[in-house]
Coordinates of all heavy atoms in Angstrom, one line a residue:
M1 N 109.8 107.2 113.1 CA 110.0 107.7 111.8 C 108.8 107.5 110.8 O 108.5 108.4 110.1 CB 111.3 107.1 111.2 CG 111.7 107.6 109.9 SD 112.2 109.4 110.0 CE 112.8 109.7 108.4
P2 N 108.2 106.3 110.9 CA 107.0 106.2 110.0 C 105.9 107.2 110.2 O 105.3 107.7 109.3 CB 106.5 104.8 110.3 CG 107.7 104.0 110.7 CD 108.5 105.1 111.5
A3 N 105.7 107.5 111.5 CA 104.6 108.5 111.8 C 105.0 109.9 111.3 O 104.1 110.6 110.7 CB 104.4 108.5 113.3
L4 N 106.2 110.2 111.4 CA 106.7 111.5 110.9 C 106.6 111.6 109.4 O 106.2 112.6 108.8 CB 108.2 111.8 111.3 CG 108.8 113.0 110.8 CD1 108.1 114.3 111.4 CD2 110.3 113.0 111.2
T5 N 106.9 110.5 108.8 CA 106.8 110.4 107.3 C 105.4 110.5 106.8 O 105.1 111.3 105.9 CB 107.5 109.1 106.8 OG1 108.8 109.1 107.2 CG2 107.4 109.1 105.3
I6 N 104.5 109.8 107.5 CA 103.1 109.9 107.1 C 102.5 111.3 107.4 O 101.8 111.9 106.5 CB 102.3 108.8 107.8 CG1 102.7 107.4 107.3 CG2 100.8 109.1 107.7 CD1 102.1 106.3 108.0
D7 N 102.9 111.9 108.5 CA 102.5 113.3 108.8 C 103.0 114.2 107.7 O 102.3 115.1 107.2 CB 103.1 113.7 110.1 CG 102.5 115.0 110.6 OD1 101.3 115.3 110.4 OD2 103.3 115.8 111.2
A8 N 104.3 114.0 107.2 CA 104.8 114.9 106.2 C 104.1 114.7 104.9 O 103.8 115.6 104.1 CB 106.3 114.6 106.0
M9 N 103.7 113.4 104.6 CA 102.9 113.2 103.3 C 101.6 113.8 103.4 O 101.1 114.4 102.4 CB 102.8 111.6 103.1 CG 104.1 111.0 102.8 SD 104.0 109.2 102.8 CE 103.1 109.0 101.2
L10 N 100.9 113.7 104.5 CA 99.6 114.3 104.7 C 99.6 115.8 104.5 O 98.8 116.4 103.9 CB 98.9 113.9 106.0 CG 98.5 112.4 106.1 CD1 98.1 112.1 107.5 CD2 97.5 112.1 105.1
D11 N 100.7 116.4 105.1 CA 100.8 117.8 105.0 C 101.1 118.2 103.6 O 100.6 119.2 103.1 CB 102.0 118.3 105.9 CG 102.0 119.8 106.0 OD1 100.9 120.5 106.1 OD2 103.1 120.4 106.1
F12 N 102.0 117.5 102.9 CA 102.3 117.7 101.5 C 101.0 117.7 100.6 O 100.8 118.5 99.7 CB 103.3 116.7 101.0 CG 103.8 116.9 99.6 CD1 104.9 117.6 99.3 CD2 103.1 116.3 98.5 CE1 105.3 117.8 98.0 CE2 103.5 116.5 97.2 CZ 104.7 117.3 97.0
A13 N 100.1 116.7 101.0 CA 98.9 116.5 100.2 C 97.9 117.6 100.6 O 96.9 117.9 99.8 CB 98.3 115.2 100.5
G14 N 98.0 118.2 101.7 CA 97.0 119.2 102.2 C 97.5 120.6 102.2 O 97.9 121.2 101.1
D15 N 97.6 121.2 103.4 CA 97.9 122.6 103.5 C 99.4 123.1 103.4 O 99.7 124.2 103.3 CB 97.4 123.1 104.8 CG 95.9 123.0 104.9 OD1 95.2 123.0 103.9 OD2 95.3 122.9 106.1
C16 N 100.3 122.1 103.4 CA 101.7 122.4 103.4 C 102.1 123.4 104.4 O 102.7 124.5 104.2 CB 102.1 122.9 102.0 SG 102.1 121.6 100.7
T17 N 101.7 123.1 105.7 CA 101.9 124.0 106.8 C 103.4 123.9 107.3 O 103.7 124.8 108.1 CB 101.0 123.8 107.9 OG1 101.1 122.4 108.4 CG2 99.5 124.0 107.5
G18 N 104.1 123.0 106.9 CA 105.5 122.9 107.4 C 106.1 121.5 107.5 O 107.3 121.3 107.3
N19 N 105.3 120.6 107.9 CA 105.8 119.2 108.1 C 106.3 118.6 106.8 O 107.2 117.7 106.8 CB 104.8 118.3 108.8 CG 104.5 118.7 110.2 OD1 105.3 119.3 110.8 ND2 103.3 118.4 110.7
F20 N 105.7 119.0 105.7 CA 106.2 118.5 104.4 C 107.6 118.9 104.1 O 108.3 118.3 103.2 CB 105.3 119.0 103.2 CG 105.6 120.4 102.8 CD1 106.4 120.6 101.7 CD2 105.1 121.5 103.4 CE1 106.8 121.8 101.2 CE2 105.5 122.8 103.0 CZ 106.3 122.9 101.9
R21 N 108.1 119.8 104.8 CA 109.5 120.3 104.6 C 110.5 119.1 104.8 O 111.6 119.2 104.3 CB 109.9 121.5 105.5 CG 109.2 122.7 105.1 CD 109.6 123.9 105.8 NE 108.8 125.1 105.4 CZ 108.2 125.9 106.3 NH1 108.3 125.7 107.6 NH2 107.5 126.9 105.9
M22 N 110.1 118.1 105.6 CA 111.0 117.0 105.7 C 111.3 116.4 104.3 O 112.4 116.0 104.0 CB 110.3 115.9 106.6 CG 111.3 114.7 106.8 SD 110.8 113.0 106.7 CE 109.5 112.8 105.6
I23 N 110.3 116.3 103.5 CA 110.5 115.8 102.1 C 111.4 116.7 101.4 O 112.4 116.3 100.7 CB 109.1 115.7 101.4 CG1 108.2 114.7 102.1 CG2 109.3 115.3 99.9 CD1 106.8 114.6 101.6
S24 N 111.2 118.0 101.5 CA 112.0 119.0 100.8 C 113.5 118.9 101.3 O 114.4 118.9 100.5 CB 111.5 120.4 101.0 OG 112.3 121.4 100.4
R25 N 113.6 118.8 102.5 CA 115.0 118.8 103.1 C 115.7 117.5 102.6 O 116.9 117.6 102.3 CB 114.9 118.8 104.6 CG 116.3 118.8 105.3 CD 116.2 118.9 106.8 NE 115.5 117.7 107.4 CZ 114.3 117.7 108.0 NH1 113.7 118.8 108.3 NH2 113.8 116.6 108.5
E26 N 115.0 116.4 102.7 CA 115.7 115.2 102.2 C 116.0 115.2 100.8 O 117.1 114.7 100.3 CB 114.8 114.0 102.6 CG 114.6 113.7 104.0 CD 115.9 113.4 104.8 OE1 116.8 112.7 104.2 OE2 116.0 113.8 105.9
V27 N 115.2 115.8 100.0 CA 115.5 115.9 98.5 C 116.7 116.8 98.3 O 117.5 116.5 97.4 CB 114.2 116.5 97.8 CG1 114.6 116.8 96.3 CG2 113.1 115.5 97.8
Q28 N 116.9 117.8 99.1 CA 118.0 118.7 98.9 C 119.3 118.2 99.4 O 120.3 118.8 99.1 CB 117.7 120.1 99.6 CG 116.5 120.8 99.0 CD 116.7 121.1 97.5 OE1 117.8 121.5 97.1 NE2 115.6 121.0 96.7
L29 N 119.3 117.1 100.1 CA 120.5 116.5 100.6 C 120.7 115.1 99.9 O 120.7 114.1 100.6 CB 120.4 116.3 102.1 CG 120.2 117.5 102.9 CD1 119.9 117.2 104.4 CD2 121.4 118.4 102.8
P30 N 120.9 115.1 98.6 CA 121.0 113.8 97.9 C 122.2 113.0 98.4 O 123.3 113.6 98.6 CB 121.2 114.2 96.4 CG 121.8 115.6 96.5 CD 121.2 116.2 97.7
D31 N 122.0 111.8 98.6 CA 123.0 110.8 99.0 C 123.6 111.1 100.4 O 124.6 110.5 100.7 CB 124.1 110.7 97.9 CG 123.5 110.3 96.6 OD1 122.5 109.5 96.6 OD2 124.0 110.8 95.6
A32 N 123.1 112.1 101.1 CA 123.7 112.5 102.4 C 123.8 111.3 103.4 O 124.7 111.2 104.1 CB 123.0 113.7 103.0
D33 N 122.8 110.5 103.4 CA 122.8 109.4 104.3 C 123.1 108.1 103.6 O 122.8 107.0 104.2 CB 121.4 109.3 105.0 CG 120.3 109.0 104.1 OD1 120.5 108.9 102.9 OD2 119.1 108.8 104.6
G34 N 123.6 108.1 102.4 CA 123.9 106.9 101.7 C 122.8 106.4 100.8 O 122.9 105.3 100.2
T35 N 121.6 107.0 100.8 CA 120.5 106.6 100.1 C 120.4 107.4 98.8 O 120.3 108.6 98.8 CB 119.2 106.8 100.9 OG1 119.3 106.1 102.1 CG2 118.0 106.3 100.1
P36 N 120.5 106.8 97.6 CA 120.5 107.5 96.4 C 119.1 108.2 96.2 O 118.1 107.7 96.6 CB 120.6 106.4 95.3 CG 121.3 105.3 96.0 CD 120.8 105.4 97.4
R37 N 119.1 109.4 95.6 CA 117.9 110.2 95.4 C 116.8 109.4 94.8 O 115.7 109.5 95.2 CB 118.3 111.4 94.6 CG 117.1 112.3 94.3 CD 117.4 113.4 93.3 NE 118.5 114.2 93.7 CZ 118.4 115.3 94.4 NH1 117.3 115.7 94.8 NH2 119.5 116.0 94.7
E38 N 117.1 108.6 93.8 CA 116.1 107.9 93.1 C 115.3 106.9 94.0 O 114.2 106.5 93.7 CB 116.6 107.1 91.8 CG 117.7 106.1 92.1 CD 119.1 106.7 92.0 OE1 119.3 107.9 92.0 OE2 120.0 105.9 92.1
L39 N 116.0 106.5 95.1 CA 115.3 105.6 96.0 C 114.4 106.3 97.0 O 113.5 105.7 97.6 CB 116.3 104.7 96.8 CG 117.0 103.6 96.0 CD1 118.0 102.9 96.9 CD2 116.0 102.7 95.3
F40 N 114.6 107.6 97.2 CA 113.9 108.4 98.1 C 112.4 108.4 97.8 O 111.6 108.1 98.7 CB 114.4 109.8 98.2 CG 113.7 110.7 99.2 CD1 113.9 110.4 100.6 CD2 112.9 111.7 98.8 CE1 113.2 111.2 101.5 CE2 112.2 112.5 99.8 CZ 112.4 112.2 101.1
G41 N 112.1 108.6 96.5 CA 110.7 108.6 96.1 C 110.0 107.2 96.2 O 108.8 107.1 96.6
K42 N 110.8 106.2 96.0 CA 110.2 104.8 96.1 C 109.8 104.5 97.6 O 108.9 103.7 97.8 CB 111.2 103.8 95.6 CG 111.5 103.9 94.1 CD 112.5 102.9 93.7 CE 112.9 103.1 92.2 NZ 111.8 102.9 91.3
F43 N 110.4 105.1 98.5 CA 110.1 104.9 99.9 C 108.6 105.2 100.2 O 108.0 104.5 100.9 CB 111.0 105.9 100.8 CG 110.6 105.9 102.3 CD1 110.8 104.8 103.0 CD2 110.1 107.0 102.8 CE1 110.6 104.8 104.4 CE2 109.8 107.1 104.2 CZ 110.1 105.9 105.0
F44 N 108.1 106.3 99.6 CA 106.7 106.6 99.8 C 105.8 105.6 99.1 O 104.7 105.3 99.7 CB 106.4 108.0 99.2 CG 107.2 109.1 99.9 CD1 108.3 109.7 99.3 CD2 106.9 109.5 101.2 CE1 109.0 110.6 99.9 CE2 107.6 110.4 101.8 CZ 108.7 111.0 101.2
G45 N 106.2 105.0 98.1 CA 105.4 103.9 97.5 C 105.4 102.7 98.4 O 104.3 102.0 98.5
V46 N 106.4 102.4 99.1 CA 106.4 101.3 100.1 C 105.4 101.6 101.2 O 104.7 100.7 101.6 CB 107.9 101.1 100.7 CG1 107.8 100.2 101.9 CG2 108.8 100.7 99.6
I47 N 105.3 102.8 101.6 CA 104.3 103.2 102.6 C 102.9 102.9 102.1 O 102.1 102.4 102.8 CB 104.5 104.7 103.1 CG1 105.8 104.8 103.9 CG2 103.3 105.1 103.9 CD1 106.1 106.2 104.2
A48 N 102.7 103.3 100.8 CA 101.4 103.1 100.2 C 101.1 101.6 100.1 O 100.0 101.1 100.5 CB 101.3 103.7 98.8
D49 N 102.0 100.8 99.7 CA 101.9 99.3 99.7 C 101.6 98.7 101.0 O 100.7 97.9 101.2 CB 103.1 98.7 99.1 CG 103.4 99.0 97.6 OD1 102.4 99.5 96.9 OD2 104.5 98.8 97.2
T50 N 102.2 99.2 102.0 CA 102.0 98.8 103.4 C 100.6 99.1 103.9 O 99.9 98.3 104.5 CB 103.1 99.3 104.4 OG1 104.4 99.0 103.9 CG2 102.9 98.9 105.8
M51 N 100.2 100.3 103.6 CA 98.8 100.7 104.0 C 97.8 99.9 103.3 O 96.8 99.5 103.9 CB 98.6 102.2 103.7 CG 99.5 103.2 104.5 SD 99.2 103.1 106.3 CE 97.6 103.7 106.4
R52 N 98.0 99.6 102.0 CA 97.1 98.7 101.2 C 97.0 97.4 101.9 O 95.9 96.8 102.0 CB 97.6 98.6 99.8 CG 96.6 97.9 98.9 CD 97.1 97.7 97.4 NE 97.5 98.9 96.8 CZ 98.8 99.4 96.6 NH1 99.8 98.6 97.0 NH2 99.0 100.5 96.0
E53 N 98.1 96.8 102.3 CA 98.1 95.5 103.0 C 97.4 95.6 104.3 O 96.6 94.6 104.7 CB 99.5 95.0 103.2 CG 100.2 94.6 101.9 CD 101.7 94.1 102.2 OE1 101.9 93.6 103.3 OE2 102.5 94.2 101.3
I54 N 97.6 96.6 105.1 CA 96.9 96.8 106.4 C 95.4 96.9 106.2 O 94.6 96.3 106.9 CB 97.5 98.0 107.2 CG1 98.9 97.7 107.6 CG2 96.6 98.3 108.4 CD1 99.7 98.9 108.1
L55 N 95.0 97.8 105.3 CA 93.5 98.0 105.1 C 92.8 96.9 104.4 O 91.6 96.8 104.5 CB 93.4 99.4 104.4 CG 93.8 100.6 105.2 CD1 93.7 101.8 104.3 CD2 92.9 100.8 106.4
R56 N 93.5 96.2 103.6 CA 92.9 95.1 102.8 C 91.6 95.5 102.1 O 91.6 96.2 101.2 CB 92.8 93.8 103.7 CG 94.1 93.3 104.1 CD 93.9 92.0 104.9 NE 95.2 91.7 105.5 CZ 95.8 90.6 105.1 NH1 95.3 89.8 104.2 NH2 97.0 90.3 105.6
T57 N 90.5 95.0 102.6 CA 89.2 95.2 102.0 C 88.7 96.6 102.1 O 87.8 97.0 101.3 CB 88.1 94.2 102.6 OG1 88.0 94.5 104.0 CG2 88.5 92.8 102.3
E58 N 89.2 97.4 103.0 CA 88.8 98.8 103.2 C 89.5 99.7 102.2 O 89.2 100.9 102.0 CB 89.0 99.2 104.6 CG 88.2 98.5 105.6 CD 88.4 99.0 107.0 OE1 88.6 100.2 107.2 OE2 88.5 98.1 107.9
W59 N 90.6 99.1 101.5 CA 91.3 99.9 100.5 C 90.4 100.0 99.2 O 90.2 99.0 98.6 CB 92.6 99.2 100.2 CG 93.5 100.0 99.3 CD1 93.6 99.9 97.9 CD2 94.5 100.9 99.7 NE1 94.6 100.8 97.5 CE2 95.2 101.4 98.5 CE3 95.0 101.4 100.9 CZ2 96.2 102.3 98.5 CZ3 96.0 102.3 100.9 CH2 96.6 102.8 99.8
S60 N 89.9 101.1 99.0 CA 89.0 101.3 97.9 C 89.7 101.9 96.6 O 90.8 102.4 96.7 CB 87.9 102.3 98.3 OG 88.4 103.6 98.5
P61 N 89.0 101.8 95.5 CA 89.5 102.5 94.3 C 89.8 104.0 94.5 O 90.7 104.5 94.0 CB 88.5 102.2 93.2 CG 87.8 101.0 93.7 CD 87.8 101.1 95.2
E62 N 89.0 104.6 95.3 CA 89.1 106.0 95.6 C 90.4 106.3 96.4 O 91.2 107.2 96.1 CB 87.9 106.6 96.3 CG 86.7 106.6 95.5 CD 85.9 105.3 95.5 OE1 86.2 104.4 96.3 OE2 85.0 105.2 94.6
I63 N 90.7 105.4 97.4 CA 91.9 105.5 98.1 C 93.1 105.2 97.2 O 94.1 106.0 97.3 CB 91.9 104.5 99.3 CG1 90.8 104.9 100.4 CG2 93.3 104.4 100.0 CD1 90.6 103.9 101.5
E64 N 93.0 104.2 96.4 CA 94.1 103.9 95.4 C 94.4 105.2 94.6 O 95.5 105.5 94.4 CB 93.7 102.7 94.6 CG 94.8 102.4 93.5 CD 96.0 101.8 94.1 OE1 96.0 101.2 95.3 OE2 97.1 101.9 93.5
D65 N 93.3 105.7 94.0 CA 93.5 106.9 93.2 C 94.2 108.1 93.9 O 95.1 108.8 93.4 CB 92.2 107.4 92.6 CG 91.6 106.4 91.5 OD1 92.4 105.6 91.0 OD2 90.4 106.5 91.2
A66 N 93.7 108.3 95.1 CA 94.3 109.4 95.9 C 95.8 109.2 96.2 O 96.6 110.1 96.1 CB 93.5 109.6 97.3
W67 N 96.1 107.9 96.6 CA 97.5 107.6 96.8 C 98.4 107.7 95.6 O 99.5 108.3 95.6 CB 97.7 106.2 97.4 CG 97.6 106.2 98.9 CD1 96.5 105.9 99.6 CD2 98.6 106.4 99.8 NE1 96.8 106.0 101.0 CE2 98.1 106.3 101.1 CE3 100.0 106.7 99.7 CZ2 98.9 106.5 102.2 CZ3 100.7 106.9 100.8 CH2 100.2 106.8 102.1
R68 N 97.9 107.2 94.4 CA 98.6 107.4 93.2 C 98.8 108.8 92.8 O 99.9 109.2 92.3 CB 97.9 106.6 92.0 CG 97.8 105.2 92.2 CD 99.2 104.5 92.1 NE 99.3 103.5 93.0 CZ 100.4 103.2 93.8 NH1 101.5 103.9 93.6 NH2 100.4 102.2 94.6
K69 N 97.8 109.6 93.0 CA 97.9 111.1 92.8 C 99.0 111.7 93.7 O 99.9 112.4 93.2 CB 96.6 111.8 93.0 CG 96.7 113.3 92.7 CD 95.4 114.0 93.0 CE 95.5 115.5 92.7 NZ 94.6 116.2 93.5
L70 N 99.0 111.4 95.0 CA 99.9 111.9 95.9 C 101.4 111.4 95.5 O 102.3 112.2 95.5 CB 99.6 111.5 97.3 CG 100.6 111.9 98.4 CD1 100.8 113.4 98.5 CD2 100.2 111.3 99.7
L71 N 101.5 110.2 95.2 CA 102.8 109.7 94.9 C 103.4 110.3 93.6 O 104.5 110.6 93.5 CB 102.8 108.1 94.7 CG 102.5 107.3 96.0 CD1 102.3 105.9 95.7 CD2 103.6 107.6 97.0
G72 N 102.5 110.6 92.7 CA 102.9 111.3 91.5 C 103.3 112.7 91.8 O 104.3 113.2 91.2
E73 N 102.6 113.4 92.7 CA 103.0 114.7 93.0 C 104.3 114.8 93.8 O 105.1 115.7 93.6 CB 101.9 115.4 93.9 CG 100.6 115.7 93.1 CD 99.5 116.1 94.0 OE1 99.6 116.1 95.2 OE2 98.4 116.4 93.4
I74 N 104.5 113.8 94.6 CA 105.8 113.7 95.3 C 107.0 113.4 94.3 O 108.0 114.1 94.4 CB 105.8 112.6 96.5 CG1 104.9 113.1 97.6 CG2 107.2 112.4 97.0 CD1 104.6 112.1 98.7
D75 N 106.7 112.5 93.4 CA 107.8 112.2 92.4 C 108.1 113.5 91.6 O 109.2 113.8 91.3 CB 107.3 111.1 91.4 CG 107.4 109.7 92.1 OD1 108.0 109.6 93.1 OD2 106.7 108.8 91.5
E76 N 107.0 114.2 91.2 CA 107.2 115.5 90.4 C 108.0 116.5 91.3 O 108.9 117.1 90.8 CB 105.9 116.1 90.0 CG 106.0 117.3 89.2 CD 104.6 117.8 88.7 OE1 103.7 117.0 88.6 OE2 104.5 119.0 88.6
F77 N 107.7 116.6 92.5 CA 108.4 117.5 93.4 C 109.9 117.1 93.5 O 110.7 118.0 93.5 CB 107.7 117.5 94.8 CG 108.4 118.4 95.8 CD1 108.2 119.7 95.8 CD2 109.2 117.9 96.8 CE1 108.8 120.6 96.7 CE2 109.9 118.7 97.7 CZ 109.6 120.0 97.7
I78 N 110.1 115.9 93.7 CA 111.5 115.4 93.7 C 112.2 115.7 92.4 O 113.4 116.2 92.5 CB 111.6 113.9 94.1 CG1 111.1 113.6 95.5 CG2 113.0 113.3 93.9 CD1 110.8 112.2 95.8
A79 N 111.6 115.4 91.3 CA 112.2 115.7 90.0 C 112.5 117.2 89.8 O 113.6 117.6 89.3 CB 111.3 115.2 88.9
Q80 N 111.6 118.0 90.3 CA 111.8 119.5 90.1 C 112.9 120.0 91.1 O 113.4 121.0 90.9 CB 110.5 120.2 90.4 CG 109.5 120.0 89.3 CD 108.2 120.7 89.6 OE1 108.0 121.2 90.7 NE2 107.2 120.6 88.6
S81 N 113.1 119.3 92.2 CA 114.1 119.7 93.2 C 115.5 119.2 92.9 O 116.4 119.6 93.7 CB 113.6 119.2 94.5 OG 112.4 119.7 94.9
E82 N 115.7 118.4 91.9 CA 117.0 117.9 91.6 C 118.0 119.0 91.3 O 117.7 119.9 90.5 CB 116.9 116.8 90.5 CG 116.3 115.6 90.9 CD 116.3 114.5 89.8 OE1 117.1 114.7 88.8 OE2 115.7 113.5 90.0
V83 N 119.1 118.9 91.9 CA 120.2 119.8 91.6 C 120.9 119.4 90.4 O 121.4 118.2 90.4 CB 121.1 119.9 92.9 CG1 122.3 120.9 92.6 CG2 120.3 120.3 94.1
P84 N 121.1 120.2 89.4 CA 121.8 119.8 88.2 C 123.3 119.5 88.5 O 123.9 120.2 89.3 CB 121.7 121.0 87.3 CG 121.0 122.1 88.0 CD 120.6 121.6 89.3
V85 N 123.8 118.5 87.9 CA 125.2 118.2 88.1 C 126.0 118.8 87.0 O 125.7 118.7 85.8 CB 125.3 116.6 88.0 CG1 126.8 116.2 88.2 CG2 124.5 116.0 89.1
D86 N 127.1 119.5 87.4 CA 128.0 120.1 86.4 C 128.8 119.0 85.7 O 129.2 118.0 86.3 CB 129.0 121.1 87.0 CG 128.2 122.3 87.6 OD1 127.2 122.7 87.0 OD2 128.7 122.8 88.6
G87 N 129.0 119.2 84.4 CA 129.9 118.2 83.8 C 129.4 117.9 82.4 O 129.5 117.5 81.5

């Protein structure tokens, strides 16, 4: 699952050839697996934090900026994909 998620993130950040659809599909199925929608976006932040820990000294300000930009774009995508609740 982590490899699939990272692949989806890279596709989302790049050409959007299809693997990013995992993100879209999960956003469209809020709470389907018991995970609240607001936690879905945080999952990607956990991946970034883990990569930062793994890379340690190789994690540069440029890498940090690229991840922050990507995470912001994913958060925006999730927000735009929210289905309005009647009521």
Side-chain angles (χ1 to χ4, degrees):
M1 184 65 175
L4 178 63
T5 302
I6 291 170
D7 190 38
M9 293 174 75
L10 291 173
D11 190 40
F12 184 90
D15 296 333
C16 292
T17 59
N19 292 334
F20 81 96
R21 289 187 186 129
M22 185 224 29
I23 296 170
S24 178
R25 183 179 63 244
E26 293 298 323
V27 168
Q28 295 302 320
L29 300 171
D31 304 322
D33 65 355
T35 302
R37 180 189 302 270
E38 60 270 10
L39 290 181
F40 182 69
K42 294 181 186 295
F43 174 68
F44 298 106
V46 170
I47 291 173
D49 293 343
T50 301
M51 296 299 293
R52 187 183 303 106
E53 287 179 28
I54 291 169
L55 292 174
R56 297 183 186 246
T57 59
E58 294 178 45
W59 187 270
S60 67
E62 293 81 13
I63 293 173
E64 178 70 24
D65 289 345
W67 272 95
R68 291 296 140 218
K69 180 181 178 207
L70 175 61
L71 294 173
E73 290 172 357
I74 290 173
D75 285 344
E76 184 177 328
F77 180 77
I78 291 169
Q80 291 175 356
S81 299
E82 288 185 11
V83 178
V85 177
D86 293 328

